[in-house]
Amino acid sequence: MSEQSRRPPAPRTRGPSPDKTARTRTLIVEAALDVFLARGFAQATMADVARQSGLAKGTPYHYFASKEALFEGVVQDLVVGALFHEQPPAFLEDETLEAFFRRTLLPLIRGIEQSRRVAVMRLVMTEGMRFPALADVYRREVFAPMNAHIRKVARQAVARGEQRAAVLARHPHLLMAPVWMGAIHNTLLRCTPEASIGRLFEEQLHALLGAGPR
């Protein structure tokens, strides 16, 4: 028997658990947004993100190959995961388009100010001109899917006889315009008092689809 065959088998090393991996990824993503907002995308480094998250210098690279990939992770985890985490809801029987959006979208928009989604929007607005890849990620992952969803259900509402829904079938951007206006008002211009993004969205929803005065 050779010396090599007499050696005991090397102990198996266990990788990190899925839960620990997910927690570490979340830690990196949250830290990345903090660093991007504080330093700007150009000046931010992966080492900054590691330091902000309290991890070893090379750890972020185990999850994201580059700073651009890390920004995509920010968008996926903090925005896409909140907005598109399940199958798009369907109309309930005899539900109007206004009622549908009140049920499905309004709760998400009302919660936007307590989440970090507005901070991601601010980053896209401030850095997207200098770094088109950031705007491309947001458009592909968030902006375009949301508009496509609004247009699709608006067309369904028109087919069901809601002629007021035709404006959103043509211009789905109008429904989400108050969200961007509120983000500009509150974060870029820092106007006071701050605007309630949820309230702006609700007023726009009624103006476009409501049956009469509030």
Side-chain angles (χ1 to χ4, degrees):
M1 183 179 294
S2 68
E3 180 68 22
Q4 185 174 5
S5 64
R6 289 197 299 269
R7 290 176 183 169
R12 294 183 179 179
T13 58
R14 296 179 61 185
S17 69
D19 285 347
K20 183 177 180 182
T21 298
R23 287 195 301 270
T24 302
R25 178 188 169 96
T26 298
L27 196 63
I28 292 169
V29 163
E30 293 280 358
L33 182 55
D34 289 336
V35 171
F36 291 157
L37 291 171
R39 305 202 61 189
F41 188 78
Q43 298 301 317
T45 67
M46 296 289 269
D48 292 331
V49 174
R51 187 161 44 250
Q52 178 73 17
S53 58
L55 299 170
K57 186 176 181 179
T59 302
Y61 285 106
H62 294 311
Y63 293 80
F64 304 99
S66 65
K67 193 166 60 171
E68 290 75 13
L70 180 50
F71 175 77
E72 185 164 355
V74 169
V75 172
Q76 283 285 343
D77 290 18
L78 300 183
V79 183
V80 176
L83 296 178
F84 307 112
H85 63 283
E86 57 186 21
Q87 290 295 320
F91 277 111
L92 300 178
E93 187 176 357
D94 298 327
E95 187 174 38
T96 65
L97 185 58
E98 181 185 11
F100 173 81
F101 284 135
R102 284 184 177 278
R103 175 172 63 87
T104 62
L105 272 185
L106 183 56
L108 295 173
I109 302 304
R110 282 176 172 163
I112 199 171
E113 289 154 313
Q114 285 72 51
S115 72
R116 308 204 71 192
R117 297 196 295 275
V118 170
V120 178
M121 294 169 67
R122 171 189 156 194
L123 187 61
V124 171
M125 289 186 285
T126 56
E127 301 285 87
M129 291 294 291
R130 288 192 299 163
F131 301 98
L134 304 190
D136 289 344
V137 167
Y138 197 90
R139 183 182 64 248
R140 181 181 71 246
E141 300 294 337
V142 182
F143 194 77
M146 179 59 75
N147 283 327
H149 170 65
I150 293 169
R151 177 179 281 116
K152 178 181 177 180
V153 295
R155 286 174 174 171
Q156 291 173 354
V158 171
R160 287 162 46 137
E162 284 192 65
Q163 294 308 309
R164 288 178 67 90
V167 66
L168 288 181
R170 295 191 301 269
H171 307 293
H173 319 75
L174 288 175
L175 187 60
M176 300 300 290
V179 178
W180 288 93
M181 188 65 246
I184 292 170
H185 181 280
N186 295 343
T187 66
L188 291 185
L189 302 181
R190 295 185 174 91
C191 296
T192 55
E194 288 193 352
S196 167
I197 292 177
R199 185 63 177 168
L200 290 176
F201 178 85
E202 190 172 15
E203 293 288 355
Q204 178 79 331
L205 182 58
H206 183 76
L208 292 171
L209 300 173
R214 296 176 67 85

